[in-house]
Amino acid sequence: MNQEMKIGIALISSFLIFMVGIFRLFTAELQDVPLFAAYILTITGLVGVITNGWKWKKRED
């Protein structure tokens, strides 16, 4: 597995984590996930998306 594929998988995974957190915050679904966990998922997912997106952009240069 090359570096490009690792960054791509990490970017997609971070985005999915971010979306689960946002989904829990904006809807009444997923009552099993506490609100505190939803905030943590949202923040860490956003940090991951930003970091991996920056790595992806840097890779192109």
Side-chain angles (χ1 to χ4, degrees), residues 19-61:
M19 290 309 295
V20 167
I22 290 294
F23 182 73
R24 170 57 178 99
L25 290 176
F26 288 140
T27 64
E29 304 284 325
L30 297 175
Q31 291 297 328
D32 294 336
V33 178
L35 200 56
F36 179 70
Y39 282 120
I40 290 175
L41 288 173
T42 303
I43 292 168
T44 57
L46 183 61
V47 169
V49 167
I50 291 170
T51 303
N52 290 312
W54 178 69
K55 280 182 160 180
W56 185 271
K57 182 81 170 168
K58 186 177 173 185
R59 175 201 55 85
E60 301 266 330
D61 292 341

